Amino acid sequence: MKLLEAYDIPTRGKHAVVIGRSNIVGKPMAMLLLAADATVTICHSKTENLAEIARQADILVAAVGRPN
C-alpha cells in the first residue's frame, strides 16, 4: 500500500488482482485493497486462466513465494 501511495496510484474503483492467498501477505493485502475501495480478485496456484485474469487487472500484486 505504501508503494501505491508513493507513486500516487489510485485504488478507488480499480480492479486489483492479488496472486497468492497466504495469511501473511496475500489475504492481508487483499483486505487493505478492499478497505481502499478497490475491487479485489484473489488468485492462487489452482486458478484457471490466471494469465487472462492478470491482464484484466488495473493493479496487480504478486504475493507468492516459497520459504527457503
Side-chain angles (χ1 to χ4, degrees):
M1 292 305 293
K2 291 291 186 186
L3 284 173
L4 293 174
E5 292 169 10
Y7 288 96
D8 294 321
I9 298 172
T11 56
R12 177 172 280 164
K14 301 296 182 182
H15 180 208
V17 174
V18 178
I19 302 175
R21 59 180 170 179
S22 72
N23 291 328
I24 296 171
V25 180
K27 289 178 185 175
M29 186 62 195
M31 293 299 109
L32 289 169
L33 287 163
L34 278 172
D37 297 325
T39 301
V40 180
T41 302
I42 300 175
C43 299
H44 50 81
S45 61
K46 307 293 189 246
T47 300
E48 294 182 9
N49 301 318
L50 177 59
E52 183 178 326
I53 294 168
R55 277 192 292 274
Q56 296 172 1
D58 297 313
I59 299 170
L60 182 63
V61 178
V64 294
R66 293 198 176 152
N68 301 318

